[in-house]
């Protein structure tokens, strides 16, 4: 069973290209025609009461949420501990990211910046091989990005849209009163600590640090069946598999893990390996350094060794471990937790930035509608929790099942059908379609369901698939049985969820679906 950690994609910062930030915000046009027009937001300021929002964290989730809320007329302040650009993992983006960035008026800027355009990818998993091409199937592309530069683009876009951004300031703790956050204790890089208390709503986008979930509530749980380690580095002169769609990712399984190969700007290639903690510890013990272990892992895969033949390794091996987790709750009175601060899933399907941007746009829509008095806080936050947890649950089920390698690609594809409620009727002599699989890993099913409640697969079906996957994955002679708590949370019934949908036109918010219930 392959391992699972850092679906991480990385690269050295090229700061000079940040000068391209200046320029008009242009519409993407028809590139996302496959997505319902209900999921489009026009980046123009929209009136509201001017609710004051504090966003902690300036990564993709925090910057996107802040921009969308500022465009909706809210008074938004963002604090970030780092100074951008800064290195970060997560280089391979899904088509859903393009849709969200189109919604906040940034996709054209990202298009023109010079990142590699990603049409899809190729997966070699056990004895199966298949390609997925989002551009060919649905007319959408994404990108392979240097996160140092991509994140800086997002944060600067927030500034340009009226967000008051301060870097070099860390949110240390949150004070609550009557169940609501009322103050954040901050530590600046230079100077004395200070308190921010002039906000009506708090968005926690503090990533893996998890200011609220990990440090305040202590309710973030690791996923016991996805405890893996990732090791990676960068190359020049490496190649992709010949059947790879333009700019696509390669995912290649091995007896104890899997490799990724990601094309980056400037002819670089991000190549990494993911395995279990036990396998990594054993292999690390046999090699005196991470660099030597990494070189060994590249050499023992005939496929990867072939793709790197004659290539140059650029140095510095990176390692990360234990990054799959989920919090018991994603929101509460006066606050929402977005992106990695709430949950993170194994990088096998490159869903980290998708979950960050999807949760950010959804949270912003909920707060904007609350600000305009269109929906009460309780209903808005229930919708946010429901939408975000469903997205995570579906991806959790598919990732876990992929690690059960005996299913084969047809098993993955049929499971994907069940996860979006569109099972195929396949004759014995017919091929099983990969359409549902491509839609899920592209993040498109989450956007579609958020915008159209009639297309949402029943939550019990999602839960059933997730639990079934976890039961099989955790079985062991000495196991006490799997803990299903992380995927059980569902604060909103399917009937209630059908009452609302996410809209971005003519303005971002939640819309009540008429005539759903008596």
């Amino acid at each position: 069973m392959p391992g699972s950690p850092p679906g991480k994609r990385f690269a050295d910062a090229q700061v000079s290209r940040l000068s391209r930030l200046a320029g008009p915000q242009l519409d993407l046009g028809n590139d996302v025609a496959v997505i319902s027009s209900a999921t489009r937001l026009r980046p123009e300021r929209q009136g509201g009461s001017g609710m004051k929002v504090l966003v902690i964290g300036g990564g993709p989730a925090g910057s996107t949420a802040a921009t969308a809320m500022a465009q909706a007329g809210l008074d938004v302040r963002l604090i970030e501990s780092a100074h951008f650009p800064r290195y970060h993992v997560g280089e391979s983006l899904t088509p859903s990211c393009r849709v969200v960035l189109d919604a906040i008026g940034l996709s054209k800027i990202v298009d023109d910046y010079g990142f590699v355009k990603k049409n899809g990818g190729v997966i070699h998993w056990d004895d199966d091989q298949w390609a997925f091409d989002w551009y060919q199937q649905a007319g959408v592309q994404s990108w392979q990005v240097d996160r140092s530069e991509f994140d800086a683009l997002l944060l600067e876009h927030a500034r340009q849209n009226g967000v008051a951004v301060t870097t070099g300031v860390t949110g240390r703790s949150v004070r609550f009163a009557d169940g609501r956050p009322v103050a954040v204790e901050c530590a600046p890089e230079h100077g004395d600590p200070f308190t921010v208390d002039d906000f009506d709503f708090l968005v926690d986008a503090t990533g893996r640090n998890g200011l609220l979930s990990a440090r305040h509530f202590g309710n973030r749980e690791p996923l016991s069946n996805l405890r893996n380690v990732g090791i990676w580095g960068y190359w020049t002169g490496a190649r992709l598999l010949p059947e790879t769609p333009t700019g696509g990712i390669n995912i290649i399984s091995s007896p104890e893990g899997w490799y990724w190969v990601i094309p980056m700007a400037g002819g670089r290639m991000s190549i990494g390996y993911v395995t279990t903690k036990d396998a990594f510890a054993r292999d690390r013990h046999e090699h005196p350094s991470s660099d030597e272990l990494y070189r060994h892992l590249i050499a023992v895969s005939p496929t990867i060794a072939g793709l790197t033949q004659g290539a140059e390794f650029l140095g510095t091996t990176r390692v990360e471990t234990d990054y799959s987790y989920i919090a018991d709750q994603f929101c509460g009175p006066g606050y929402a937790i977005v992106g990695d601060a709430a949950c993170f899933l194994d990088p096998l399907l490159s869903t980290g930035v998708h979950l960050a941007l999807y949760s950010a746009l959804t949270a912003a829509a909920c707060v904007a509608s609350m600000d305009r008095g269109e929906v009460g806080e309780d209903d808005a936050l229930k919708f946010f929790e429901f939408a975000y947890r469903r997205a995570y649950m579906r991806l959790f089920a598919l990732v876990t099942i992929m690690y059960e390698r005996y299913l084969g690609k047809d098993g993955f594809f049929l499971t994907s059908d069940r996860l979006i409620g569109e099972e195929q009727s396949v004759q014995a002599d017919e091929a099983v379609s990969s359409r549902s699989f491509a839609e899920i890993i592209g993040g498109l099913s989450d956007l579609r369901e958020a915008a159209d409640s009639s297309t949402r697969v029943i939550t019990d079906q999602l839960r059933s698939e997730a639990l079934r996957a976890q039961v099989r994955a955790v079985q062991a002679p000495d196991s006490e049985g799997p803990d299903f708590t992380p995927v059980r949370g569902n604060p909103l019934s399917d009937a209630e969820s059908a009452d609302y949908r996410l809209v971005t036109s003519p303005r971002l918010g939640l819309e009540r679906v008429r005539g759903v219930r008596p």
Side-chain angles (χ1 to χ4, degrees):
M1 203 170 88
S4 96
K8 327 223 169 214
R9 336 301 178 191
F10 332 74
D12 299 331
Q14 297 178 18
V15 181
S16 61
R17 288 199 283 163
L18 294 175
S19 61
R20 302 186 192 180
L21 281 167
Q25 297 176 11
L26 301 179
D27 217 16
L28 181 62
N30 296 322
D31 282 359
V32 291
V34 65
I35 305 300
S36 164
S37 62
T39 64
R40 304 236 185 110
L41 168 67
R42 294 293 169 248
E44 57 195 24
R45 283 205 172 271
Q46 303 153 357
S49 64
M51 179 189 294
K52 289 187 175 182
V53 181
L54 175 63
V55 179
I56 309 176
S63 294
T64 299
T67 298
M69 289 186 291
Q71 290 173 346
L74 282 73
D75 183 353
V76 185
R77 178 178 183 181
L78 183 151
I79 60 173
E80 161 61 42
S81 59
H83 294 286
F84 286 29
R86 52 93 176 96
Y87 180 84
H88 204 281
V89 302
E91 299 153 349
S92 194
L93 306 189
T94 61
S96 63
C97 297
R98 171 179 288 276
V99 178
V100 175
L101 297 186
D102 184 42
I104 62 170
L106 189 61
S107 57
K108 177 60 175 174
I109 294 173
V110 176
D111 259 340
D112 291 343
Y113 188 75
F115 297 126
V116 170
K117 302 285 177 56
K118 174 186 173 184
N119 283 7
V122 170
I123 297 178
H124 285 194
W125 205 256
D126 247 7
D127 296 328
D128 286 315
Q129 302 177 12
W130 70 95
F132 54 95
D133 191 324
W134 294 305
Y135 190 73
Q136 186 178 74
Q137 292 176 324
V140 290
Q141 292 177 309
S142 60
W143 307 273
Q144 314 279 21
V145 301
D146 289 274
R147 280 289 303 277
S148 58
E149 299 170 54
F150 176 75
D151 291 7
L153 286 169
L154 282 169
L155 188 61
E156 180 61 25
H157 191 62
R159 282 194 184 97
Q160 292 179 357
N161 279 271
V163 178
V165 175
T166 305
T167 58
V169 174
T170 301
R172 291 296 187 192
S173 62
V174 181
R175 291 207 311 263
F176 281 72
D178 298 324
R180 300 181 68 88
V182 295
V184 175
E185 305 298 332
C186 298
E189 192 174 44
H190 305 289
D192 297 328
F194 62 90
T195 300
V196 177
D197 57 9
D198 60 338
F199 59 87
D200 305 300
F201 196 88
L202 177 67
V203 175
D204 179 1
T206 53
R208 189 170 177 174
N209 289 332
L211 179 59
L212 286 178
S213 59
R215 296 173 60 184
H216 184 83
F217 296 121
N219 64 5
R220 210 166 68 182
E221 299 292 332
L223 299 183
S224 58
N225 63 313
L226 294 175
R227 302 190 68 183
N228 302 301
V229 180
I231 181 169
W232 69 93
Y234 296 92
W235 300 71
T236 59
R239 297 174 295 281
L240 293 167
L241 294 167
E243 67 270 33
T244 307
T246 302
I249 186 175
N250 291 169
I251 296 173
I252 301 159
S253 70
S254 74
E256 292 186 301
W258 61 274
Y259 296 83
W260 76 74
V261 184
I262 299 173
M264 309 290 292
R268 292 166 298 128
M269 203 77 77
S270 171
I271 301 179
Y273 177 70
V274 175
T275 190
T276 64
K277 291 184 71 174
D278 289 344
F280 182 85
R282 179 202 65 211
D283 291 344
R284 181 65 181 85
H285 181 71
E286 296 173 357
H287 296 83
S289 69
S290 296
D291 278 355
E292 291 190 40
L293 171 57
Y294 178 69
R295 290 281 200 172
H296 166 75
L297 292 169
I298 295 295
V300 296
S301 167
T303 301
I304 300 299
L307 296 178
T308 56
Q309 185 175 9
E312 177 187 358
F313 178 51
L314 297 177
T316 312
T317 299
R318 298 175 183 266
V319 178
E320 190 162 336
T321 185
D322 278 350
Y323 27 74
S324 296
Y325 53 80
I326 185 170
D328 288 349
Q329 63 191 64
F330 294 168
C331 58
Y335 71 90
I337 308 174
V338 297
D340 294 358
C343 56
F344 186 80
L345 185 61
D346 183 273
L348 175 58
L349 300 179
S350 304
T351 55
V353 179
H354 157 66
L355 288 171
L357 299 192
Y358 175 69
S359 63
L361 188 69
T362 304
C366 292
V367 177
S369 274
M370 289 161 45
D371 178 56
R372 295 190 294 263
E374 297 165 348
V375 61
E377 182 180 69
D378 186 58
D379 284 345
L381 294 181
K382 281 182 179 179
F383 180 88
F384 170 74
E385 178 100 21
F386 177 84
Y388 194 13
R389 195 170 291 274
R390 281 175 62 85
Y392 187 91
M393 187 186 299
R394 177 170 18 234
L395 292 166
F396 167 82
L398 189 56
V399 165
T400 303
I401 288 171
M402 283 195 68
Y403 279 116
E404 299 178 56
R405 297 163 51 180
Y406 63 85
L407 284 182
K409 66 178 182 180
D410 287 356
F412 303 153
F413 297 164
L414 293 172
T415 296
S416 299
D417 290 339
R418 292 194 295 272
L419 290 171
I420 64 172
E422 295 186 8
E423 294 195 49
Q424 304 172 49
S425 176
V426 181
Q427 303 301 316
D429 58 345
E430 291 180 340
V432 178
S433 171
S434 63
R435 182 187 58 78
S436 296
F437 177 85
E439 179 181 325
I440 292 173
I441 67 172
L444 302 176
S445 52
D446 298 326
L447 289 170
R448 172 178 51 76
E449 286 192 356
D452 185 354
S453 62
S454 69
T455 69
R456 294 173 195 157
V457 64
I458 302 301
T459 297
D460 284 346
Q461 187 171 328
L462 273 181
R463 184 187 292 109
S464 175
E465 289 296 327
L467 298 187
R468 184 167 65 175
Q470 198 173 28
V471 166
R472 291 194 296 245
V474 181
Q475 281 177 345
D478 58 349
S479 173
E480 298 179 358
D483 175 12
F484 298 141
T485 304
V487 297
R488 274 197 184 127
N490 177 34
L492 194 60
S493 73
D494 291 297
E496 290 175 308
S497 77
D499 281 5
Y500 295 97
R501 66 185 187 115
L502 175 68
V503 297
T504 54
S505 178
R507 60 186 182 182
L508 179 66
L510 295 185
E511 180 179 271
R512 189 174 182 87
V513 180
R514 306 302 177 190
V516 173
R517 291 186 293 173

